[in-house]
Amino acid sequence: MTLYELNQLVREAIDAELSDEYWVEAELSEVREVRGHCYLELVQFSSNIAPNTSHLASREGRTPIARASAKCWQSTWTLIRPHFERITGQSLSVGMKVLLKVYPQFHEAYGFSWIVTDIDPTFTLGDMARRRQEIIRQLKEEGVFDLQKSLQLPIFCQRIAVISSANSAGYGDFINQLINNDFGFRFETTLFPATMQGDDVEPSIINALNKVNSSPDFDCVVIIRGGGATTDLSGFDTLMLAENVANFPLPIITGIGHERDESVLDLVSHTSVKTPTAVAAFLIDHLCQINDFLITAQETISRLFSLYAVRQEARLDSLYSRLQPAINSKMQRELHRLQLLGQRATSLDPTLLLQRGYSITLVNGKALRDPADVKPGDEITTRLEKGTIKSKVL
């Protein structure tokens, strides 16, 4: 029997015994599109170890127990693909779990393959949701899920580290909207290029975050993606990337264009919006709120100062109106006191005593009060009303 004859027997046996279509669960280890056809490599791992949460589906410690090749012809793939991507929000990628409807085909020259006639997107969607919830649960157990939410966005958030693909339309839209904002706000942006689609999303963004972290010159980090299809976003649903973002010391704002629902990256970031232009609008609006606050504060201070000045002026007028009578009253009291002192001084004038017949005896120019204060030979002066008498003590 020739090889062709043997293979023909195999094909006839398969066609006879496996004439139905079968729904099969498998994990994708390879996905290729060639001339409109989709070529898949299917694998099943031993179930004793849970699948890795990374989108790369690292298989360290996992044992493959079954492998097979599958094909989806162009006529079928052009119908299956848009439906699958619309429901799941992602395209077929390595590490994804799928439920395929297949039938066997054996070709004498090309060997055996499963031919795909349908793919159930709800199965993959459920597995994606399960993986996402598992990551969220682990992040919460680690106590890092809400760390970004506890960070305060700086008041003047203008120095922006941007993680994006340099050539994406979304990055260009983001920069243009910041530069041409209606309020004249100035932003300083620094691009840290990263892969935003495919298998390298996780390591590329983590590497960019490490570079941002080595510089102290930024107020926040922006992770944006735009300009392409909204599929193939599984790279943003990984544990390692989520841990890096959750533990990052600066607020991280995401706008990765996921229209269907939030990725794990969105959930752990400080702020999540849908698109790069929405991120720019958020940053501009933040400065608008600060600007409005400062204008309101300025107006309040000016109003309070004016009110204080008016009150002080009124207080001064009141004090002045009370001051003049107080001064007059004080002067009257002091004048009366001076008059009394004058009367007392007048009553103590020695000349009045002399007019009454009294005399004053002086020795050395001082009034003599005690005879013991003089000695024989001293000259004394007696002052009378109408003159003085000089005498010598014997």
Side-chain angles (χ1 to χ4, degrees):
M1 182 178 293
T2 65
L3 177 60
Y4 178 83
E5 291 172 337
L6 178 61
N7 284 353
Q8 191 173 37
L9 286 177
V10 172
R11 178 177 62 80
E12 291 173 354
I14 290 175
D15 290 343
E17 298 297 327
L18 299 174
S19 58
D20 296 330
E21 293 184 331
Y22 306 92
W23 284 102
V24 58
E25 298 178 14
E27 186 171 321
L28 301 178
S29 62
E30 185 179 337
V31 180
R32 294 179 294 112
E33 281 195 55
V34 180
R35 294 189 295 274
H37 309 299
C38 182
Y39 295 86
L40 308 172
E41 291 297 325
L42 310 180
V43 63
Q44 179 181 347
F45 293 95
S46 58
S47 58
N48 57 331
I49 300 178
N52 194 303
T53 53
S54 169
H55 76 292
L56 298 176
S58 173
R59 294 164 184 81
E60 295 181 4
R62 302 171 63 198
T63 304
I65 58 174
R67 293 182 182 274
S69 297
K71 301 181 182 71
C72 188
W73 303 125
Q74 182 181 17
S75 58
T76 304
W77 181 236
T78 55
L79 298 176
I80 291 177
R81 176 178 178 176
H83 176 67
F84 181 86
E85 293 179 352
R86 185 176 64 254
I87 298 299
T88 63
Q90 299 193 29
S91 59
L92 291 180
S93 60
V94 174
M96 181 177 287
K97 283 192 172 182
V98 290
L99 181 62
L100 308 170
K101 190 175 187 180
V102 298
Y103 67 86
Q105 184 180 75
F106 186 85
H107 191 277
E108 289 85 348
Y110 303 110
F112 181 84
S113 180
W114 292 103
I115 305 302
V116 178
T117 60
D118 199 1
I119 304 176
D120 185 358
T122 59
F123 175 86
T124 302
L125 194 63
D127 181 67
M128 290 164 51
R130 180 197 60 76
R131 285 199 304 172
R132 185 181 295 117
Q133 290 303 314
E134 179 62 23
I135 294 173
I136 292 172
R137 181 194 63 77
Q138 187 164 341
L139 292 170
K140 289 182 177 180
E141 286 184 355
E142 294 172 1
V144 301
F145 185 78
D146 293 318
L147 284 183
Q148 275 279 315
K149 302 296 189 297
S150 65
L151 299 178
Q152 293 292 326
L153 201 64
I155 293 178
F156 299 103
C157 190
Q158 295 171 280
R159 300 175 302 171
I160 316 299
V162 183
I163 297 178
S164 178
S165 172
N167 299 320
S168 74
Y171 172 67
D173 294 340
F174 171 78
I175 295 298
N176 289 335
Q177 186 157 342
L178 285 186
I179 293 175
N180 301 312
N181 70 86
D182 296 333
F183 307 95
F185 298 144
R186 298 182 63 181
F187 295 88
E188 298 177 11
T189 60
T190 302
L191 176 65
F192 293 83
T195 301
M196 305 304 288
Q197 186 166 321
D199 293 345
D200 295 329
V201 169
E202 177 187 88
S204 181
I205 293 180
I206 291 175
N207 181 59
L209 286 172
N210 291 335
K211 292 179 180 179
V212 175
N213 194 38
S214 65
S215 173
D217 301 327
F218 299 106
D219 298 318
C220 74
V221 180
V222 165
I223 301 177
I224 54 176
R225 172 192 182 275
T230 59
T231 59
D232 198 13
L233 294 174
S234 58
F236 301 97
D237 279 333
T238 74
L239 178 62
M240 186 176 298
L241 179 57
E243 288 175 333
N244 274 265
V245 169
N247 287 284
F248 203 75
L250 294 177
I252 293 180
I253 306 167
T254 60
I256 57 176
H258 203 316
E259 297 294 341
R260 192 175 182 281
D261 56 17
E262 292 180 307
S263 67
V264 175
L265 180 64
D266 294 320
L267 294 175
V268 299
S269 64
H270 179 277
T271 301
S272 170
V273 294
K274 291 297 182 184
T275 63
T277 54
V279 175
F282 172 81
L283 293 171
I284 294 169
D285 183 65
H286 175 72
L287 283 189
C288 281
Q289 293 180 31
I290 299 302
N291 186 58
D292 291 344
F293 172 80
L294 292 177
I295 291 175
T296 301
Q298 182 181 19
E299 293 174 348
T300 301
I301 292 173
S302 178
R303 184 174 65 255
L304 290 177
F305 180 79
S306 299
L307 180 61
Y308 178 77
V310 170
R311 288 181 178 179
Q312 288 299 98
E313 184 177 358
R315 182 171 176 267
L316 289 175
D317 291 341
S318 175
L319 289 175
Y320 181 78
S321 63
R322 292 160 52 192
L323 182 62
Q324 193 61 44
I327 292 174
N328 293 337
S329 175
K330 180 68 173 177
M331 291 182 65
Q332 291 292 335
R333 290 195 301 271
E334 292 301 312
L335 180 61
H336 180 65
R337 190 171 69 85
L338 288 175
Q339 290 173 345
L340 293 177
L341 291 174
Q343 292 174 2
R344 291 175 60 189
T346 300
S347 65
L348 297 175
D349 189 349
T351 58
L352 296 178
L353 296 175
L354 297 177
Q355 291 174 3
R356 295 173 187 164
Y358 294 96
S359 64
I360 302 173
T361 300
L362 304 174
V363 60
N364 298 325
K366 296 182 180 180
L368 181 62
R369 291 183 175 86
D370 189 347
D373 291 338
V374 296
K375 58 185 181 293
D378 286 345
E379 187 178 87
I380 61 175
T381 301
T382 302
R383 186 178 175 183
L384 305 172
E385 177 185 4
K386 295 183 179 181
T388 58
I389 301 174
K390 292 186 179 294
S391 307
K392 182 177 286 189
V393 179
L394 299 176

